[in-house]
Every structure is written in C-alpha cells, then in structure tokens.
Amino acid sequence: MASACSNKMIDVFWHEGMLNHETGKGVFDSGIDPGFLDVLEKHPENSDRIKNMVSILQKGPISPYISWQHGRPAQVNELLSFHAPEYIDELIEADKQGGKMICAGTFLNPGSWDAALLAAGTTLSAMKHILDGHGKLAYALVRPPGHHAQPKQADGYCFLNNAGLAVQLALDSGCKKVTVIDIDVHYGNGTAEGFYRTDKVLTVSLHMNHGSWGPSHPQNGSVGELGEGEGYGYNLNIPLPNGTGDRGYGYAMKELVVPAVHKFEPDMIVLVVGQDSSAFDPNGRQCLTMDGYRDIGRIVHSLANKHSGGQILIVQEGGYHITYSAYCLHAMLEGVLDLPQPLLCDPIAYYPEDEAFAVELIEATRKYHKEAVPFLKGT
C-alpha cells in the first residue's frame, strides 16, 4: 500500500472552525417553527454532513491516500478579486449586527462569517498549493458552500464563492485557461455569473432542471445561458431530467463535457462537487450512486492528465444526506485517484435506472451546442 500511495495522494485542506457555522432548525431550510411539530429538523447545510466527510477520509479505506493540510481564513482584500466591495461590506455589517437571513434558506448567524472566511481562504490555499507545485490533486473540504454566491449576491446557503476565488487566483497566477466542471445537483449560477463575460474560463454545470428559484437566483440554468461578449459560448449548462442516474450522467460527461474540455484545452481544472446529486439526497431529485461518482472522478482524472498536467482542484459544495454523502465523496476521490478497484462497497444503492429520456435530452443539448457555440462547431 505504501508504494501505491507514494504516487497517488490527495492533499485535503480543512479547518475545524468551519463547523461553527450554525444554520439552525425548522421546516427543512426555512428556519420556520410552525408551532405544531414536535420534532424540527436541522437545516440541511449543517455541520454533521461535513463531520462525516472528514471522518470517512480519516478512518475509511482511502485514508492512506490522504495528506491533511491546514486551512486558513481569507483576508477581506482577497475576496475582492471575485466579489464587489459593497457586497462584502454588507456581509461584514450583518455579522457585526449579530447576523440575519441574507436570502431564503441562507442564514448568517454568529460564527458564520468567520466560517465563510475560512472556507474561502482554505480553498485559496488549496489552489495555491497546486500552483506552487506542491501537489497535483487538492481537495478543499469546506463549508459554507459557495457556488451560488454571485459577485454581488448571496444565494442558496452560499456567501462567498470559494471556487470562483480559486479560479481567479489561478488566472492571476499565470494560468491561461481554466475549466470548471460543476456536478452539484443545483446550477452553479454564481460561478457562471462571475466568469460570464470571459473566454478564459469554461464553466460547465450538470444539474437538475430546477430553473430560477427567486430574486437571489435569477438564472435558470438553461442551455441558452451561454455567456455574453467575449464569454459567449464559454458557459455550458447541461440541465438533466429528474431521476438521471449513473448511466445518464456518464453519457453527459462523455458526449458533452469531454469534447468541450478537449476543444477548450485548459491548463487548470476545477471540479466543483456536491453529493446532492445522489439517489438519497433530500435536496435533489437525481439518482447518482457511488459508482456514478467514481466514474465521474475517473473521467476528470483523464481530462486532467491530458490538459492540465494532472492538476485538479476539487471544491466541496452540497450533499445533505448525512451518511451517503460521505460514501459518495469517498467513491469520487477513488475515481480522481484512478484507483484500479473500488475501496468501499455501496451500502444502500439500488436504482433501476432508465436513462432513455436523459439520453434524448443530452443529444438535443449536443445538437444545440454544435449549432450555437462557436468554439464547438465542427466537434
């Protein structure tokens, strides 16, 4: 095992201070106590989910492949590479006033701002670790999540766009082109918005077809949201029908994501991962299992070997089933490591997938991309 691990390691960046972001209880993520329920559930984005991710990496069979690295808080000036100063000032003031609900389901409570700074800084440290040549695979195990946070707007449990900050750091450090592959079950609208007008970043999001959910999330994640100006064609949305499972996601990766990345030729890849695309997640309606996550990890590993010298930054987003999210994380990292055999068996997955509808929509998306996206014409 020691010799196998010597060439295959993931540097995991983590800080326990991120557990201090308390999101409360209520009816799912609303924070509402209707007064007639004896048992109120924890907000889905709670610390238990992350505790299990940490522990499975510390104690699970993948542990020999993990090198633990310390996270750090971001400095406020670092946040301005992606976020508007007035938005950051709003968050700082909300923290000083003891916190508030920033938007639906997104609560800035005492301790939340410090946790958000840790999530941002830890992700920046993970990217810098790669850029400085200290490792090729780094995983920012962070919360609160970030991919819905737009330059001027919080959204969907997210305050600061951790992945977006890391992408900008890569560009500022000399990377010519960066690809973001987002497999969270919800559209990575914040990251897309941040790079919507540049051709230096290819943002690809595979998500359930949920549309806009209000003022904080005006984007609908449709195939027609392709970018603007120089960025036209460099935001690729892949909305997948509810119930899409391992084979449907695999088909989308191979038929849509892989050709686009080959054509774009990035020198850095950022994999934005949420385990809320799993078959058992309370916040999604997709049906990935451990096998599906493992296969996605292998595909991204292959893309990185071809284009980015094997360099991949992985950034944690959603994933709200307290136990299965940790299992799916384990499987995905096995795939990114390109391990020859699974290390951990799936304890609960069973889903009789019918991918026919997903394949039909993926084919329609591919046709649309070939017609509408300039850099994909002729692929």
Side-chain angles (χ1 to χ4, degrees):
M1 178 67 75
S3 61
C5 291
S6 61
N7 295 321
K8 293 185 175 182
M9 296 291 292
I10 294 180
D11 292 295
V12 177
F13 285 75
W14 160 249
H15 193 294
E16 65 180 6
M18 289 180 280
L19 299 176
N20 295 329
H21 172 44
E22 295 290 343
T23 47
K25 295 182 178 181
V27 177
F28 197 58
D29 64 1
S30 68
I32 294 172
D33 179 354
F36 47 72
L37 296 176
D38 285 343
V39 180
L40 294 175
E41 60 189 314
K42 288 184 177 181
H43 188 290
E45 205 295 279
N46 62 70
S47 61
D48 290 347
R49 54 186 283 270
I50 297 295
K51 289 177 182 177
N52 271 348
M53 292 179 189
V54 172
S55 63
I56 203 169
L57 300 187
Q58 290 176 333
K59 304 172 187 177
I62 203 170
S63 61
Y65 298 87
I66 302 298
S67 175
W68 291 92
Q69 309 292 334
H70 292 294
R72 65 161 179 95
Q75 300 299 310
V76 168
N77 66 297
E78 292 181 290
L79 307 178
L80 303 182
S81 68
F82 186 91
H83 292 289
E86 60 271 22
Y87 170 60
I88 298 302
D89 289 344
E90 175 191 342
L91 295 177
I92 292 172
E93 183 61 27
D95 177 57
K96 287 180 180 178
Q97 297 299 321
K100 67 175 183 178
M101 185 175 77
I102 305 294
C103 57
T106 307
F107 300 92
L108 188 81
N109 291 321
S112 298
W113 179 236
D114 287 343
L117 289 173
L118 279 169
T122 296
T123 308
L124 287 169
S125 290
M127 176 59 88
K128 191 172 189 304
H129 187 80
I130 296 174
L131 294 169
D132 289 347
H134 299 308
K136 292 189 175 184
L137 301 177
Y139 169 42
L141 178 47
V142 295
R143 74 179 285 264
H147 73 147
H148 296 311
Q150 297 142 72
K152 299 181 180 180
Q153 173 69 55
D155 178 41
Y157 317 160
C158 303
F159 306 103
L160 301 173
N161 197 306
N162 307 312
L165 289 163
V167 169
Q168 190 60 54
L169 176 62
L171 294 173
D172 292 342
S173 300
C175 288
K176 302 299 183 185
K177 293 192 286 186
V178 181
T179 289
V180 179
I181 301 171
D182 188 331
I183 62 168
D184 187 280
V185 81
H186 305 107
Y187 176 36
N189 61 311
T191 315
E193 182 67 25
F195 302 106
Y196 208 61
R197 295 156 190 87
T198 178
D199 58 359
K200 301 296 187 290
V201 181
L202 174 66
T203 48
V204 184
S205 179
L206 298 87
H207 48 266
M208 68 177 182
N209 194 11
H210 54 69
S212 170
W213 57 55
S216 70
H217 192 107
Q219 305 86 358
N220 58 39
S222 69
V223 295
E225 292 179 347
L226 288 168
E228 294 177 353
E230 290 183 353
Y232 183 81
Y234 294 94
N235 185 67
L236 300 182
N237 291 333
I238 306 173
L240 297 169
N242 289 1
T244 301
D246 296 346
R247 294 196 294 271
Y249 268 84
Y251 192 77
M253 289 293 295
K254 291 170 185 173
E255 298 298 323
L256 298 177
V257 180
V258 168
V261 175
H262 284 335
K263 191 76 172 179
F264 186 67
E265 297 183 322
D267 46 7
M268 180 65 71
I269 293 178
V270 177
L271 175 59
V272 177
V273 61
Q275 296 80 19
D276 45 4
S277 301
S278 85
F280 304 100
D281 199 273
N283 218 352
R285 299 296 179 267
Q286 303 297 50
C287 291
L288 278 175
T289 71
M290 288 177 68
D291 284 344
Y293 279 100
R294 190 180 289 112
D295 288 345
I296 290 171
R298 288 196 181 109
I299 292 170
V300 175
H301 166 90
S302 177
L303 289 171
N305 277 355
K306 182 173 179 63
H307 296 290
S308 63
Q311 296 180 134
I312 307 170
L313 172 66
I314 305 160
V315 183
Q316 181 61 45
E317 296 291 346
Y320 306 103
H321 191 287
I322 298 300
T323 54
Y324 197 59
S325 292
Y327 275 83
C328 291
L329 168 63
H330 195 288
M332 191 211 67
L333 295 184
E334 291 176 34
V336 170
L337 286 165
D338 197 32
L339 300 181
Q341 298 294 330
L343 298 177
L344 193 61
C345 294
D346 198 315
I348 54 176
Y350 171 73
Y351 185 73
E353 181 183 357
D354 180 359
E355 72 272 29
F357 185 41
V359 167
E360 180 181 338
L361 291 183
I362 291 164
E363 286 297 323
T365 300
R366 178 166 62 174
K367 180 180 179 183
Y368 178 78
H369 283 170
K370 285 186 175 182
E371 294 172 350
V373 177
F375 90 94
L376 289 179
K377 289 181 179 179
T379 57

